[in-house]
């Protein structure tokens, strides 16, 4: 029987992945934790506790006391925020991962760990189109450097201590339940909220700058599949490239106009546009698709259909 610990359960990925894992492994077997309060459905459907991943002593006690067998470590300072406080972001992103790796090494019951990497591991010297799984990796952001170092540490622990650590290099994730915070790809969520709520959006990324994205439903399915696939089938020892589609703000704005014809977008590129410039525009994820037998099901039209509908629903609830 699996007993799963989620770190970062109140965040953009955690608030959805927790519910999916509870539906598979049983509500009582999925322990949601975060430094901030969780949405009501997380707190009501199973165990939730405030827990700081930086506090290694509490963390290891929690893991032993609850007989945890799998850990999903989702907490991180994203790319935009990390540039504002570089050393603090490095400290949080690296030390939280090291705490998890050490616990996985020390606690025999831990069978598997999931830790997300990012397209931010790539830099300006990587081919920008269809960036391959194996390529030059010279990230120029603190976030990217921490993710690349994290990938190396995961591989080190996996080889040296035979720990089963699995990872995906997520692109921008588009979702409606919990908004992301402090990322360079956040525009792809903000644009829908502002379109529905204000009819206009000021975008911090240039109109034609395409970026790799993935709808949350597809990201969750891929994550669960990766964790359930037999280890012998996984050919990538570090972190898999993964993507759903490549889209620019201009393209998303045009698609939103199917619903909101008067939608206005203007552009005020800031430092995050330079970050985006250093990242790939599209990703080759053929290896993960084969290894875990997965493919994305949401294209731009389907994403817009769901985002406009769900954000409109939220607006009417708040409006009432
Ligand atoms: N969504 C992340 C960011 O923008 C990329 O992995 O920082």
């Amino acid at each position: 029987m699996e007993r799963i610990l989620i770190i970062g359960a109140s965040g953009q990925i955690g608030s959805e992945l927790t519910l999916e894992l509870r539906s598979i492994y049983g509500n009582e077997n999925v322990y949601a934790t975060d430094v901030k309060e969780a949405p009501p459905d997380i707190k009501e459907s199973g165990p939730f506790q405030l827990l700081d991943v930086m506090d290694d002593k509490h963390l290891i006690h929690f893991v032993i006391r609850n007989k945890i067998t799998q850990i999903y470590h989702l907490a991180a300072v994203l790319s935009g925020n990390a540039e504002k406080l570089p050393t603090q972001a490095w400290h949080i992103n690296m030390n939280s991962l090291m705490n998890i790796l050490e616990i996985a090494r020390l606690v025999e019951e831990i069978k598997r760990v999931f830790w997300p990497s990012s397209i931010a591991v790539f830099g300006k010297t990587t081919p920008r189109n269809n960036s391959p799984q194996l390529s030059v990796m010279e990230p120029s952001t603190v976030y990217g450097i921490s993710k690349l170092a994290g990938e190396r540490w995961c591989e080190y622990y996996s080889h040296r201590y035979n720990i089963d650590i699995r990872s995906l290099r997520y692109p921008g994730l588009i979702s409606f339940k919990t908004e992301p915070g402090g990322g360079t790809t956040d525009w792809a969520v903000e644009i829908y909220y502002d379109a529905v709520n204000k009819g206009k959006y000021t975008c911090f990324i240039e109109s034609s700058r395409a970026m790799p994205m993935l709808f949350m439903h597809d990201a969750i399915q891929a994550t669960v599949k990766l964790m359930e696939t037999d280890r012998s089938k996984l050919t990538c020892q570090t972190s898999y490239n993964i993507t759903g589609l490549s889209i620019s703000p201009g393209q998303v704005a045009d698609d939103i106009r199917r619903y909101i014809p008067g939608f206005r977008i203007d552009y005020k590129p800031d430092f995050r546009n330079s970050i985006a410039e250093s990242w790939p525009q599209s990703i080759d994820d053929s290896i993960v698709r084969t290894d875990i037998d997965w493919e994305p099901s949401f294209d731009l039209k389907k994403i817009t259909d769901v985002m406009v509908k769900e954000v409109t629903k939220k607006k009417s609830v708040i409006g009432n």
Side-chain angles (χ1 to χ4, degrees), residues 158-191:
S158 153
H159 275 111
R160 174 94 198 253
Y161 306 114
N162 192 28
I163 297 167
D164 185 359
I165 307 164
R166 305 185 180 193
S167 180
L168 295 168
R169 289 177 184 147
Y170 289 136
L173 297 177
I174 303 178
S175 68
F176 55 84
K177 187 178 175 194
T178 307
E179 287 178 61
T184 301
T185 55
D186 293 9
W187 65 266
V189 174
E190 287 173 6
I191 193 171

Side-chain angles (χ1 to χ4, degrees), residues 78-80 118-119 143 170-172 182-186 279:
L78 293 184
S79 57
S118 161
I119 54 165
Y143 178 68
Y170 289 136
T184 301
T185 55
D186 293 9
W279 288 357

